[in-house]
Amino acid sequence: MATNEMDKKDNSKVIRDEIRRGKWKKTTAGLCSDYVQANLVILPKEIATDFMVFCYRNPKPCPIIDITEVGSPVPKLAAPDADLRFDIPRYNIYRDGNLIEETDNIKEYWQDDFVSFLIGCSFTFEKALVNNNIPMRHIEDKKIVPMYITNIPCIPSSFFHGPIVASMRPIFYNKVVRSVQITTNYPSVHGAPIHIGNPELIGIKDIHKPDFGQDVRIEKEEIPVFWACGVTPQAVAMESKPRIMITHTPGHMFITNLKNNSFAIM
Amino acid sequence: MATNEMDKKDNSKVIRDEIRRGKWKKTTAGLCSDYVQANLVILPKEIATDFMVFCYRNPKPCPIIDITEVGSPVPKLAAPDADLRFDIPRYNIYRDGNLIEETDNIKEYWQDDFVSFLIGCSFTFEKALVNNNIPMRHIEDKKIVPMYITNIPCIPSSFFHGPIVASMRPIFYNKVVRSVQITTNYPSVHGAPIHIGNPELIGIKDIHKPDFGQDVRIEKEEIPVFWACGVTPQAVAMESKPRIMITHTPGHMFITNLKNNSFAIM
């Protein structure tokens, strides 16, 4: 049965299949916009429990959407027909805290003791913001949202420690309060902002030099608003240096079968 | 029956009685802190209906708590044992848009066609903020909160028009988002802020020269946060120039029998 271009882009299974066959290698921003997308963290079982503790202690940057069973690449709650080894357009491989490779599948790296974590992604609340007439600069300019390593420490677990990474969106000044209210309604996808205004107060020296993603324009009447970001585990990996940790490449997310609207608490 | 000092201060009827007898002439900030305090607007019947329309169109600065019947000084919902001619420590008398007198009762000004409006006051949400470990500078320094005539226009009614007056509280930067969430929960007492950060964007040229109330210190790591204020009708009176309008004097509120907690929507 034929599906047209529109259907394909709005169907999470169809687009995951394209990704699996290597036909979509770009950012997943704007794809399947009704569906929850997720950040990925894969770790060996020996430190996966400690990472669970870390996520529990840091729910704003690391809200867990799904966890796989040991050795299984299948996220049973989020997308039981998916395979996390192939269904993301781009992966980052970290060894001992260093990004050693970017790759479009992780078949060669897979281990039988791997546990995969899916972590909520800001795409969900961005959809809610746009639906409330709060435009997203990086979407309009077809960029990956700028992300910054802040001076705000995560609460450490036994093994994991490091700074919170924050994504930034410039918001017109008279819509800042509304943006707080809307994102408060989505605690499982980072929730309310962690900071409003002056970037220096959270340790960002140059707002136009993000650590991940791409720089965006900030107009005079816009306020930079910062949300905790699911790329935090990658900054944490750099500091904590697990022997191996696999993540998505920022902006290249896992598309789940879950609907964005189901993540609003009210 | 004797009441000790503590009981007196926490009992709205007792303190209203002291005010009625001219024994309390100062600001009501900090008095009966569990009880809702209210802004007052008194107008002749001929333009009271138009003021109701104005309040309906501007619920953030003018959330109505109670309205009296024509000619009655008794707010039946908010405090059926009170008399609005005597039970406020200080009143402002406006004639044709000019503040002509401040007085401690309005017996001589009373008219049989007066309608009184009680409008929500920020004291209610301030209590909630303090309970969430967000201190209020003006309370700590025993001042009346600074208030500013902004460049944000109210939505006019047939007769009434004018700018929104905003009160300002300096909030430590990492508590600004929480302050938005807490006050969102109190829509009947001005609700969420109307502005965060740069005062110039809402037409405030010198933050240290408020139009009402008193200047407060702002530390380097604090952000000025602005809420719509129940003094707005006084700025509106100055512009709209009703023949007579009686209000409270800023900071000198009407203490109701209603509990602050009952105004939280969640």
Side-chain angles (χ1 to χ4, degrees):
Chain A
M1 199 172 77
T3 51
N4 67 29
E5 197 61 25
M6 193 65 173
D7 286 335
K8 280 164 83 172
K9 284 203 171 176
D10 287 342
N11 186 317
S12 61
K13 293 176 193 186
V14 171
I15 186 70
R16 274 205 311 272
D17 190 57
E18 286 206 5
I19 292 168
R20 187 179 299 193
R21 291 185 290 116
K23 298 203 165 185
W24 186 277
K25 303 192 173 198
K26 295 180 292 182
T27 172
T28 53
L31 292 178
C32 303
S33 66
D34 287 337
Y35 289 89
V36 170
Q37 300 200 20
N39 300 274
L40 174 72
V41 170
I42 301 177
L43 288 164
K45 181 187 173 190
E46 58 167 357
I47 55 169
T49 310
D50 195 66
F51 188 71
M52 278 184 63
V53 173
F54 182 82
C55 291
Y56 180 76
R57 291 180 182 173
N58 298 280
K60 294 207 78 162
C62 303
I64 295 175
I65 301 284
D66 201 357
I67 310 176
T68 62
E69 290 155 35
V70 178
S72 167
V74 178
K76 283 197 177 166
L77 295 185
D81 55 330
D83 187 324
L84 291 172
R85 296 171 298 180
F86 304 98
D87 292 355
I88 288 179
R90 199 153 188 84
Y91 298 81
N92 282 359
I93 316 293
Y94 289 90
R95 280 205 193 276
D96 301 316
N98 298 308
L99 175 62
I100 60 155
E101 196 191 345
E102 292 192 26
T103 174
D104 61 5
N105 75 69
I106 54 168
K107 192 180 172 190
E108 286 175 31
Y109 289 97
W110 190 256
Q111 297 178 193
D112 283 345
D113 65 344
F114 270 171
V115 176
S116 302
F117 297 81
L118 294 179
I119 290 171
C121 163
S122 56
F123 289 173
T124 297
F125 72 64
E126 286 181 346
K127 172 93 174 173
L129 290 168
V130 170
N131 285 347
N132 276 269
N133 296 319
I134 301 176
M136 301 283 98
R137 174 68 34 72
H138 66 281
I139 295 176
E140 291 183 343
D141 291 357
K142 298 192 193 309
K143 291 181 173 177
I144 294 175
V145 70
M147 293 164 264
Y148 308 84
I149 297 174
T150 71
N151 65 5
I152 308 169
C154 292
I155 299 172
S157 58
S158 180
F159 181 81
F160 290 99
H161 54 89
I164 290 180
V165 174
S167 59
M168 186 281 290
R169 292 158 189 83
I171 309 280
F172 200 81
Y173 74 94
N174 67 4
K175 293 183 171 176
V176 169
V177 167
R178 185 74 185 133
S179 76
V180 172
Q181 294 173 324
I182 291 165
T183 56
T184 294
N185 200 25
Y186 289 89
S188 298
V189 287
H190 307 306
I194 57 167
H195 184 63
I196 296 167
N198 189 349
E200 282 178 32
L201 288 173
I202 56 171
I204 299 169
K205 292 198 180 70
D206 186 346
I207 195 70
H208 293 295
K209 289 187 179 158
D211 297 296
F212 306 94
Q214 295 170 296
D215 179 37
V216 296
R217 193 174 80 252
I218 305 176
E219 302 286 0
K220 189 170 160 285
E221 289 184 316
E222 291 173 341
I223 312 285
V225 182
F226 298 87
W227 279 266
C229 177
V231 170
T232 297
Q234 302 192 37
V236 165
M238 291 175 198
E239 284 213 0
S240 310
K241 305 184 192 306
R243 262 184 292 167
I244 182 147
M245 172 161 154
I246 300 176
T247 72
H248 67 295
T249 299
H252 301 68
M253 318 305 290
F254 177 71
I255 302 171
T256 74
N257 293 352
L258 308 169
K259 288 287 187 82
N260 284 324
N261 285 347
S262 68
F263 276 61
I265 56 171
M266 279 180 64
Chain B
M1 198 171 80
T3 51
N4 67 29
E5 198 61 26
M6 193 67 172
D7 286 336
K8 279 164 85 171
K9 282 203 173 178
D10 286 344
N11 186 317
S12 61
K13 294 176 197 187
V14 171
I15 186 71
R16 273 204 312 272
D17 190 56
E18 286 205 6
I19 292 168
R20 187 181 298 194
R21 291 185 289 116
K23 297 202 165 186
W24 186 278
K25 302 191 173 197
K26 295 181 291 182
T27 172
T28 53
L31 291 179
C32 302
S33 65
D34 288 335
Y35 289 87
V36 170
Q37 300 199 20
N39 300 274
L40 174 72
V41 170
I42 300 177
L43 288 164
K45 181 187 173 190
E46 57 168 357
I47 55 169
T49 311
D50 195 65
F51 188 70
M52 278 184 64
V53 172
F54 182 82
C55 291
Y56 179 76
R57 291 181 181 172
N58 298 280
K60 295 207 78 163
C62 303
I64 295 175
I65 301 285
D66 200 356
I67 310 178
T68 62
E69 291 156 33
V70 178
S72 166
V74 179
K76 282 198 178 166
L77 295 184
D81 54 330
D83 187 324
L84 292 172
R85 296 172 297 180
F86 305 98
D87 292 357
I88 289 179
R90 200 153 187 84
Y91 298 81
N92 283 357
I93 315 292
Y94 289 90
R95 281 207 191 273
D96 302 315
N98 299 308
L99 176 61
I100 59 156
E101 196 191 346
E102 293 192 24
T103 175
D104 61 5
N105 77 70
I106 54 168
K107 192 179 172 191
E108 285 175 36
Y109 289 96
W110 190 256
Q111 298 178 192
D112 283 345
D113 65 344
F114 271 170
V115 176
S116 302
F117 296 81
L118 294 179
I119 290 172
C121 163
S122 56
F123 289 174
T124 297
F125 72 65
E126 286 181 346
K127 172 91 174 177
L129 291 167
V130 170
N131 285 346
N132 276 269
N133 295 320
I134 301 176
M136 300 284 98
R137 175 67 34 74
H138 66 281
I139 295 177
E140 291 184 342
D141 290 357
K142 299 193 193 309
K143 289 181 174 177
I144 294 175
V145 71
M147 294 164 264
Y148 308 84
I149 297 174
T150 73
N151 65 5
I152 307 169
C154 292
I155 300 172
S157 58
S158 180
F159 180 82
F160 290 100
H161 54 88
I164 290 181
V165 174
S167 59
M168 186 281 289
R169 292 158 190 82
I171 309 279
F172 201 80
Y173 74 95
N174 68 4
K175 293 185 171 175
V176 169
V177 167
R178 185 74 185 132
S179 77
V180 173
Q181 294 172 324
I182 291 165
T183 55
T184 294
N185 199 25
Y186 290 89
S188 299
V189 287
H190 307 306
I194 57 168
H195 184 64
I196 296 168
N198 190 346
E200 282 177 32
L201 288 173
I202 56 170
I204 298 168
K205 292 197 179 74
D206 186 346
I207 195 70
H208 292 296
K209 290 186 181 160
D211 297 296
F212 305 94
Q214 295 170 296
D215 179 38
V216 296
R217 193 174 79 252
I218 304 175
E219 301 287 0
K220 190 169 159 284
E221 289 184 317
E222 291 173 340
I223 313 284
V225 181
F226 297 86
W227 279 266
C229 177
V231 169
T232 297
Q234 302 192 38
V236 165
M238 292 176 198
E239 284 212 1
S240 310
K241 306 185 192 305
R243 263 184 291 167
I244 183 150
M245 173 161 153
I246 299 175
T247 74
H248 68 294
T249 298
H252 302 68
M253 318 305 290
F254 177 71
I255 302 171
T256 74
N257 294 351
L258 307 169
K259 287 287 187 85
N260 284 323
N261 286 347
S262 68
F263 277 60
I265 57 172
M266 278 180 66

